[in-house]
Amino acid sequence: MEFNLSKYIRPSLISLAPYQSARQEFEGDGRKMILLDANENPFESVVNRYPDPLQQQLKKEIALWKGVEEDQLYLSNGSDEFISQVIMGSCAPGKDQIMIFPPTFGMYKVAANLHGVGVQEVPLTVNFQLDIAAILGAINETTKVIFIPTPNNPTANNFDLNTIEQLLQNFSGLVVVDEAYVEFSSNPSVVSWLDKYPNLLVCQTFSKAQGMAGARLGMAFAHPEMIAFFNRIKAPYNINSLTINAALTRLKEQDKVGAQVAVLLSERKRLEDALATLPIVLHCYPSDANFVLIRVDDSLLRYQQLISEGIVVRNPSKNLNCENTLRISVGRPEENDRLIEALKKISYSV
Ligand SMILES: Cc1ncc(COP(=O)(O)O)c(C=O)c1O
């Protein structure tokens, strides 16, 4: 597959010389070395040494798990860091733009704003689907990166894979498919498309189904040259040792994760069924994620009433076409019981 890195990245970064740690320069020959190169405290604790800047052990395991080559994999401090790096690495401030499809995940715009990069917004259709004609019509020479979260946040639905493929074929910049909720989705991952589309980047996260939001670990999959570029522009030690170890352990617990996902999927169905019977719920949007979006009669009032009942949900009503909606994460069964109870109480009290 032909790949031309300079097509995708800021010209000023093409020849950037990255920070080098001395340990990276040294080629290990299997001996146990005395490490006096990094001004660490030499007395052993779990974290007295800097972590491996390239997380080689963890990448080996993740590559096996995901069926990719190690050089197609980049690890970030949560997907949030990756999103920021894609924008920083490919868009010139004050000149280039990203494209997003509201209502969408809020970090794309925040990261673009932080980097002085413009944002083109092409709304989803009223059914929260990608509007391919409008998207292709809006792309211009300033458009460098397109972000597609599927399943989408806050709307919870999947996007049609044929439409995403059409975009990959008709846009010469980078397409980031953000699969943060892929474990809950009925659509397969598009990681299998990597060999077909040099402009495809896929990101997934340990924050959702993998149950490690506090550890901050994101995975990105792309062409090896793109990955090598991310390794050059990243902070040297972006993934800490505690996170690396926690992820190595979690990879051995995929049966447990799978069982938790199964519970959350059946709880999602139970929640959807219960919500549909409530008079204050006007619509429950179909979900392919671990949360549901509902339209209610008065989102601010219902949000505050839930707070009074000791339950925090998200009120995304300020997002385009999300007036009077609430976004509710699927909790543990007993938490969902409490939520349903509270919503019934709110619904039927005058
Ligand atoms: C679509 C989407 N992408 C990325 C993220 C952030 O993931 P991380 O915790 O890995 O930064 C979220 C979090 O809500 C999300 O909804």
Side-chain angles (χ1 to χ4, degrees), residues 85-252:
Q85 272 167 328
V86 175
I87 295 173
M88 190 251 286
S90 58
C91 300
K95 180 168 166 259
D96 295 330
Q97 307 201 76
I98 65 161
M99 182 178 280
I100 58 172
F101 310 119
T104 188
F105 180 47
M107 272 310 289
Y108 309 134
K109 194 173 190 171
V110 171
N113 288 341
L114 275 169
H115 291 293
V117 165
V119 180
Q120 294 174 285
E121 304 193 37
V122 180
L124 295 178
T125 65
V126 281
N127 297 324
F128 296 143
Q129 291 299 324
L130 296 169
D131 186 343
I132 187 74
I135 294 168
L136 294 177
I139 288 170
N140 62 35
E141 68 291 346
T142 68
T143 317
K144 296 288 165 182
V145 192
I146 290 178
F147 285 97
I148 310 176
T150 182
N152 188 35
N153 178 7
T155 62
N157 60 299
N158 269 329
F159 293 131
D160 176 42
L161 291 181
N162 291 325
T163 310
I164 296 177
E165 202 156 13
Q166 223 177 317
L167 248 172
L168 279 160
Q169 289 161 349
N170 289 287
F171 174 56
S172 55
L174 297 175
V175 176
V176 176
V177 177
D178 181 344
E179 297 186 330
Y181 302 97
V182 71
E183 291 96 331
F184 302 103
S185 171
S186 54
N187 269 355
S189 167
V190 299
V191 164
S192 58
W193 294 358
L194 281 179
D195 293 337
K196 242 191 313 180
Y197 299 110
N199 56 336
L200 170 65
L201 312 178
V202 184
C203 62
Q204 297 181 3
T205 178
F206 276 74
S207 295
K208 308 297 178 185
Q210 296 301 321
M212 282 181 43
R216 313 303 300 128
L217 184 62
M219 299 169 273
F221 309 90
H223 189 282
E225 281 190 49
M226 202 68 222
I227 298 295
F229 172 67
F230 287 126
N231 284 330
R232 281 203 286 130
I233 64 169
K234 79 182 184 71
Y237 306 111
N238 61 330
I239 311 296
N240 70 75
S241 317
L242 299 175
T243 295
I244 292 175
N245 289 337
L248 284 167
T249 304
R250 185 46 48 102
L251 291 180
K252 296 194 191 97

Side-chain angles (χ1 to χ4, degrees), residues 23 35-42 48-50:
R23 231 162 275 170
L35 300 174
L36 304 177
D37 60 314
N39 307 342
E40 297 148 330
N41 180 330
N48 64 314
R49 297 294 177 188
Y50 281 103

